[in-house]
Amino acid sequence: MHVGVLTGGGDCPGLNAVIRVVTKALINECGARVTGIERGFLGLVERRVRPLDARAVGGILGQGGTILGTHNRADPFRWFGAGGADVSAQVLDYLRELGLDALVAIGGDGTMAIAHRFSQLGVPVVGVPKTIDNDLMHNDRSFGFDSAVAVVTDAIERLETTARSHGRVMIVETMGRYAGWIALEAGIAGGADAILIPEIPYELDALVALCREREQAQGYTIVCVAEGAKPAGGTLTVQARLADSPDPLRLGGVGQVLRAQLEQHLSSEVRATLLGHVQRGGAPTAFDRVLATRFGHAAARLVQRGEFGRMVTLQGADCVSVPLAQVAGLNRCVPIDHPLLDTARSLGVSLGERR
Ligand code: F6P
């Protein structure tokens, strides 16, 4: 059996742990030959592959990023390097030449959408969900998320000591695209005073009231805002528009927008910190290493059983799988009746809602 492995979309901690277990499990359990495809679907268009064996995947378990490289605009059905042309036939030819019996695609919603289209064209594909955003459908937890939350939590704690010393309002902006999972969990873990998520548009006057109350009582305020958060009746803060990308809006900057808004109403100074890609880099937490390893092993098992067109997922405590058709291109946002939102409210944490 000859199996290809690729990592697509943005990188995240834990990708190497998946590459490692997929390679080892397939070699150990069925003597497979494993080929790494470089830079996601770019490698299938540019014909860039390399063999993977136990030696090639040795010592990578705790390394951030991906040893195979990745690309978040490489969609063969809408090729950024060819004015949006469909080059999928080229990829199919190359897959035939390689003689792959299976392809393991590790990625987010965009990668799963591409994997699903190839699966419909007869390619035997298995998907493995990755994203720090934790926003894949039918998947309770993505690896990478815990690591990102740990970085943001640490940042909030650091900002708290300086905010307290200067009597300031400190805003920390997280990633997460259109889902508020990172801001919500890190905000709770770091003890933020306000958590603003895309799912609940914020009322500026509610935040001003919170900061004023805290100016009197504690002297400082920590606001954790997700990049996809927006004011009630307002719009998303967009850093760039990318016409040739499967993800056409690059979000970011809402922290500065909020800083400017709050400053007009407060006597305290307001500062904003954009954490950016710091959240995505570095070593995976122990939790993410274990989850990534479980996912990779489950993917290797699907390959061995010939169960293709599926993505492995975590549902409750169980590692199961769902059809790619059910996850391709879809996002999982924070449900507005999520229990953690209620927990935040009962702690007195503002979610930007009017009281
Ligand atoms: O999807 C992961 C993610 O890190 C998002 O949270 C963020 O909006 C986006 O990727 C950033 O992408 P890029 O690396 O292209 O700036």
Side-chain angles (χ1 to χ4, degrees):
M1 183 187 285
H2 183 193
V3 183
V5 185
L6 64 79
T7 51
D11 70 311
C12 89
L15 285 169
N16 287 326
V18 182
I19 296 167
R20 170 179 175 266
V21 67
V22 166
T23 303
K24 288 193 172 195
L26 286 168
I27 292 172
N28 294 340
E29 289 176 352
C30 63
R33 184 176 142 214
V34 184
T35 290
I37 295 152
E38 295 177 352
R39 302 207 65 193
F41 289 99
L42 187 80
L44 287 179
V45 174
E46 294 188 347
R47 299 177 165 239
R48 286 160 51 174
V49 298
R50 66 173 115 132
L52 291 177
D53 56 16
R55 193 186 166 95
V57 300
I60 65 169
L61 173 63
Q63 268 177 32
T66 159
I67 59 162
L68 293 175
T70 188
H71 201 287
N72 59 5
R73 281 187 295 150
D75 176 356
F77 295 94
R78 217 168 133 254
W79 196 242
F80 69 104
D86 183 344
V87 298
S88 58
Q90 239 170 273
V91 169
L92 292 174
D93 286 346
Y94 186 46
L95 288 172
R96 267 190 294 272
E97 271 176 50
L98 286 171
L100 290 187
D101 299 299
L103 175 65
V104 177
I106 312 164
D109 56 340
T111 302
M112 293 310 134
I114 299 168
H116 176 52
R117 290 192 72 177
F118 277 118
S119 152
Q120 287 177 312
L121 294 174
V123 178
V125 192
V126 166
V128 179
K130 71 83 223 175
T131 169
I132 62 163
D133 303 338
N134 200 34
D135 64 350
L136 271 127
M137 281 304 264
H138 304 297
N139 182 37
D140 291 349
R141 212 84 176 165
S142 309
F143 64 86
F145 174 65
D146 188 65
S147 306
V149 167
V151 171
V152 180
T153 302
D154 178 61
I156 293 174
E157 285 180 346
R158 287 170 187 276
L159 289 168
E160 201 260 357
T161 61
T162 172
R164 184 153 27 94
S165 305
H166 285 264
R168 284 175 173 162
V169 175
M170 285 288 190
I171 300 168
V172 56
E173 178 180 326
T174 74
M175 283 187 164
R177 288 201 306 170
Y178 306 104
W181 296 107
I182 299 178
L184 178 59
E185 290 219 2
I188 296 282
D193 306 303
I195 301 173
L196 308 180
I197 61 174
E199 295 82 353
I200 305 177
Y202 65 85
E203 304 284 350
L204 184 63
D205 55 2
L207 284 175
V208 170
L210 170 86
C211 294
R212 283 195 183 136
E213 272 169 33
R214 288 193 55 93
E215 264 172 0
Q216 298 305 315
Q218 284 86 4
Y220 72 98
T221 305
I222 305 290
V223 180
C224 181
V225 58
E227 63 181 359
K230 55 178 186 294
T235 52
L236 282 170
T237 307
V238 175
Q239 242 180 55
R241 288 173 198 276
L242 312 160
D244 59 355
S245 170
D247 206 354
L249 299 183
R250 184 182 298 147
L251 302 180
V254 65
Q256 288 295 352
V257 170
L258 186 59
R259 181 192 58 72
Q261 289 172 330
L262 286 176
E263 254 172 8
Q264 294 173 13
H265 302 277
L266 301 174
S267 51
S268 311
E269 289 183 60
V270 187
R271 296 283 194 275
T273 302
L274 174 66
L275 289 177
H277 295 82
V278 168
Q279 292 157 92
R280 225 165 69 184
T285 58
F287 178 90
D288 279 341
R289 294 178 201 199
V290 174
L291 182 58
T293 302
R294 288 180 70 193
F295 276 179
H297 186 218
R301 282 282 160 84
L302 286 179
V303 167
Q304 289 173 61
R305 291 200 298 263
E307 290 181 33
F308 297 117
R310 304 186 70 80
M311 182 187 86
V312 301
T313 68
L314 188 73
Q315 291 183 4
D318 299 325
C319 204
V320 295
S321 72
V322 293
L324 279 170
Q326 286 180 19
V327 293
L330 299 173
N331 289 136
R332 185 182 70 105
C333 289
V334 178
I336 50 173
D337 59 351
H338 194 280
L340 211 43
L341 295 173
D342 239 11
T343 305
R345 290 185 191 103
S346 68
L347 283 166
V349 174
S350 169
L351 298 172
E353 301 158 308
R354 274 201 190 106
R355 278 179 272 176

